[in-house]
Amino acid sequence: MQRPEAWPRPHPGEGAAAAQAGGPAPPARAGEPAGLRLQEPSLYTVKAVFILDNDGHRLLAKYYDDTFPSLKEQMAFEKNVFNKTSRTDSEIAFFGGMTIVYKSSIDLFLYVVGSSHENELMLMSVLTCLFESLNHVLRKNVEKRWVLENMDGAFLVLDEIVDGGVILESDPQQVIQKVLQSAKEQIKWSLLK
């Protein structure tokens, strides 16, 4: 039998948290403490992906839900995350009820954000795929200047990995192949015009 502290934390809007807020609490399953239950699986695992420079300024960002609906809220969140993570050597942070995995490279910080109950390994696979794909597309120069000069390629890489918060691909070789195919099609269409 599992120890109680090993069971999943309740997510806002479910279990004891929902009951306290006046919402309906789901029925407990046999052998499960009241108020705690597993989350229903969802394809929507990524809340946001963003890349900041070493001063904490945004270079690239995509938010996939309405957790931060305005640009002002997004920028404030990014600043807080950067301040918390820029001076640490870890790869995972829990901030504002969210799981954040991140990686630094020369003068960039790459972040993938998921909800508090999201699997860190899934988020890390997205981050690794993003970094390795950018590394190939930018010819091993994952730094601010090259990202700015190749922003369309960076967004194309991101769009091949995550769409609407759903992880589409986590294999960098597959992403690179799709990006190259898209680039060839764009060249073909530009020549036909």
Side-chain angles (χ1 to χ4, degrees), residues 94-114:
F94 298 97
F95 181 77
M98 293 186 217
T99 304
I100 303 166
V101 294
Y102 60 98
K103 179 182 188 77
S104 65
S105 171
I106 304 174
D107 57 354
L108 297 178
F109 286 85
L110 292 81
Y111 296 91
V112 176
V113 181

Side-chain angles (χ1 to χ4, degrees), residues 130-148:
L130 176 64
F131 179 78
E132 290 180 9
S133 299
L134 287 174
N135 194 34
H136 185 273
V137 169
L138 300 176
R139 295 180 174 80
K140 311 238 184 277
N141 292 313
V142 183
E143 57 185 78
K144 180 179 178 177
R145 182 177 71 137
W146 291 103
V147 169
L148 289 174

Side-chain angles (χ1 to χ4, degrees), residues 6-186:
W7 284 337
R9 301 179 300 264
H11 187 66
E14 291 190 356
Q20 290 173 356
R29 294 185 183 111
E32 182 179 283
L36 293 179
R37 69 180 195 108
L38 293 174
Q39 296 292 313
E40 292 295 323
S42 173
L43 292 175
Y44 300 97
T45 56
V46 178
K47 287 187 168 287
V49 177
F50 52 91
I51 300 176
L52 306 177
D53 65 11
N54 58 355
D55 295 324
H57 298 114
R58 176 194 283 198
L59 300 179
L60 177 149
K62 277 198 135 178
Y63 285 79
Y64 299 105
D65 68 2
D66 59 354
T67 303
F68 302 101
S70 71
L71 180 62
K72 184 177 179 181
E73 291 173 322
Q74 292 173 5
M75 299 291 269
F77 174 69
E78 292 166 10
K79 181 180 178 185
N80 290 334
V81 168
F82 178 77
N83 288 337
K84 181 173 180 164
T85 60
S86 64
R87 295 184 248 339
T88 63
D89 292 331
S90 63
E91 297 176 335
I92 300 173
F94 298 97
F95 181 77
M98 293 186 217
T99 304
I100 303 166
V101 294
Y102 60 98
K103 179 182 188 77
S104 65
S105 171
I106 304 174
D107 57 354
L108 297 178
F109 286 85
L110 292 81
Y111 296 91
V112 176
V113 181
S115 66
S116 62
H117 67 276
E118 207 53 65
N119 185 332
E120 295 89 358
L121 295 176
M122 292 286 289
L123 297 175
M124 188 58 80
S125 71
V126 171
L127 180 64
T128 302
C129 183
L130 176 64
F131 179 78
E132 290 180 9
S133 299
L134 287 174
N135 194 34
H136 185 273
V137 169
L138 300 176
R139 295 180 174 80
K140 311 238 184 277
N141 292 313
V142 183
E143 57 185 78
K144 180 179 178 177
R145 182 177 71 137
W146 291 103
V147 169
L148 289 174
E149 289 179 7
N150 298 287
M151 190 63 73
D152 56 341
F155 271 107
L156 191 55
V157 164
L158 182 55
D159 289 342
E160 291 295 338
I161 298 171
V162 180
D163 183 28
V166 177
I167 300 171
L168 299 177
E169 188 63 64
S170 62
D171 179 11
Q173 293 302 320
Q174 291 295 319
V175 171
I176 292 163
Q177 186 178 18
K178 290 176 184 177
V179 167
L180 292 176
Q181 183 179 4
S182 295
K184 286 178 186 177
E185 288 175 10
Q186 287 177 354

